Amino acid sequence: MENKTFKEAIKSYLDERARTDELFAKSYAKENKNLDECCSYIMGEAQKRGNAVCISDNEVFGMAVHYYDEDDIKINKLPAGTRTVTSTSPKSVKLTEEDKQRAREEAIKRLTEEQYVLLKKKPSRGKKEATEVQQMSLF
């Protein structure tokens, strides 16, 4: 699969969806809708979720379809100067056996340190004072 920009990936999906779905094709042809505004809508929805957001491709495509289906949709414009980074698919990375071993050792070391900290935080069970409970008699 070739590397596509965010906008190209959205357009490609929507074009294919319109080709195979008659009802969506009517929504996709609306004159008051356009791809730039669709992308702005998606980015605005993502920004509502926080600063560092990871959204699945299916969820993004669902937002795009929603934008075209709804006539009274509100688009949240991103503030000027907001930096956005989009990625359409994860890129495959080849690791050497040495890299894999080093990553494994670092993960084990981190896990060991985390577990050690958790063990140190737990209070010992023998030091708890017995709480005296008195029960009232109904008779």
Side-chain angles (χ1 to χ4, degrees):
M1 183 174 147
E2 66 186 53
N3 190 14
K4 296 180 179 181
T5 67
F6 176 70
K7 195 175 191 178
E8 290 170 340
I10 298 295
K11 182 176 179 352
S12 176
Y13 174 82
L14 294 173
D15 288 346
E16 180 62 25
R17 176 83 182 250
R19 195 176 65 75
T20 59
D21 181 346
E22 276 184 47
L23 287 175
F24 178 70
K26 291 176 185 174
S27 295
Y28 192 47
K30 292 178 182 176
E31 288 185 21
N32 62 331
K33 302 286 183 171
N34 63 63
L35 190 59
D36 289 331
E37 206 172 73
C38 176
C39 291
S40 293
Y41 168 71
I42 293 168
M43 297 304 287
E45 290 298 302
Q47 192 213 14
K48 284 181 185 177
R49 298 179 184 191
N51 293 334
V53 179
C54 182
I55 302 174
S56 71
D57 289 353
N58 287 339
E59 198 171 354
V60 171
F61 294 141
M63 287 181 200
V65 170
H66 180 72
Y67 163 79
Y68 279 97
D69 283 342
E70 297 297 321
D71 288 325
D72 58 343
I73 202 155
K74 183 176 187 268
I75 297 171
N76 297 312
K77 299 288 185 188
L78 295 175
T82 301
R83 183 172 178 261
T84 57
V85 178
T86 57
S87 175
T88 54
S89 298
K91 293 174 182 70
S92 157
V93 176
K94 297 287 184 189
L95 296 176
T96 64
E97 286 302 317
E98 185 179 292
D99 290 337
K100 289 178 185 177
Q101 183 63 30
R102 187 177 14 217
R104 182 178 293 117
E105 289 170 1
E106 287 175 11
I108 290 171
K109 182 180 175 187
R110 262 194 323 272
L111 179 62
T112 304
E113 289 171 356
E114 290 170 4
Q115 291 300 315
Y116 180 71
V117 168
L118 287 175
L119 285 173
K120 285 180 74 177
K121 284 184 179 180
K122 286 185 179 179
S124 64
R125 292 183 180 155
K127 293 183 180 179
K128 281 189 177 179
E129 294 181 25
T131 308
E132 206 172 299
V133 178
Q134 294 183 354
Q135 186 173 359
M136 295 179 63
S137 174
L138 298 175
F139 302 103

